[in-house]
Amino acid sequence: MNTSEAIRARRSIRKYQPGVRIPREDVEKMLEAAMMAPSARNTRPWEFVVVEDRQVLDGLMAVHPYCGMLKTASLAVVVCGRPDLQEDGGNPFWPEDCGAAIENLLLQAVELGYGTCWCGCYPAQDRAAAVQKVLNVTSVPVAIVAVGKPDEAPGARGFFDPSRVKYI
């Protein structure tokens, strides 16, 4: 699968085949793709929490109103921002940097045959704080990404809209 195919095949999957175990090498390949994302001044202001424990997945569902798909997902990757990693004490672009990492992770998952669903945390401060507490982290949860073997095949919802383009 090439990049263009992966972009066009990516979907938000909310139903997964239960009980599917994702091999560690596939998880690491997704994480490597995430960490290959560009970041402002190459600060790489992120960390990743891979959650396979069913009790912790249940805890995430309890504090995030839009993560019901974790019930059947094999795991979640929680992408957390680290604005403190820039030399001058703050990277104002850390949310964008984490977004680029998340998209790389989503596209790598498609190529490996997995489905994903990106569930935002930051900038919803209460939601991010609740996820921090469940995971016992001090970094800022930007998103919870559900990962698993898809048990649905939704149609594409994205499309090219020329009315949203201005050429100068």
Side-chain angles (χ1 to χ4, degrees):
M1 176 178 293
N2 66 37
T3 305
S4 185
E5 292 167 338
I7 289 168
R8 284 156 182 79
R10 193 218 53 80
R11 302 284 186 276
S12 292
I13 301 297
R14 292 174 176 83
K15 294 179 186 172
Y16 301 95
Q17 296 173 18
V20 173
R21 187 191 151 288
I22 297 178
R24 182 62 47 100
E25 57 268 19
D26 286 355
V27 174
E28 289 181 358
K29 193 165 192 175
M30 288 182 263
L31 293 170
E32 178 187 21
M35 292 183 202
M36 294 297 294
S39 64
R41 296 172 52 197
N42 197 35
T43 54
R44 301 165 45 89
W46 48 60
E47 65 183 22
F48 304 86
V49 180
V50 179
V51 181
E52 297 172 301
D53 182 275
R54 188 52 48 195
Q55 285 185 308
V56 179
L57 291 169
D58 290 344
L60 292 172
M61 284 189 293
V63 300
H64 193 299
Y66 304 107
C67 282
M69 76 289 297
L70 292 177
K71 186 173 179 91
T72 56
S74 299
L75 58 87
V77 177
V78 184
V79 181
C80 298
R82 294 281 311 274
D84 59 298
L85 291 180
Q86 194 170 22
E87 290 173 22
D88 61 9
N91 173 359
F93 297 104
W94 62 269
E96 291 87 347
D97 297 341
C98 288
I102 293 164
E103 186 65 17
N104 278 10
L105 188 150
L106 301 180
L107 295 175
Q108 183 65 70
V110 168
E111 196 265 333
L112 292 170
Y114 301 111
T116 58
C117 192
W118 176 341
C119 304
C121 297
Y122 181 86
Q125 298 293 340
D126 291 347
R127 189 180 303 161
V131 171
Q132 271 180 320
K133 192 171 184 176
V134 169
L135 299 177
N136 192 30
V137 297
T138 57
S139 53
V140 182
V142 174
I144 298 170
V145 179
V147 184
K149 208 61 149 154
D151 200 18
E152 65 177 350
R157 294 180 73 184
F159 59 92
F160 177 70
D161 182 353
S163 71
R164 304 258 181 127
V165 180
K166 179 179 180 176
Y167 291 94
I168 300 176

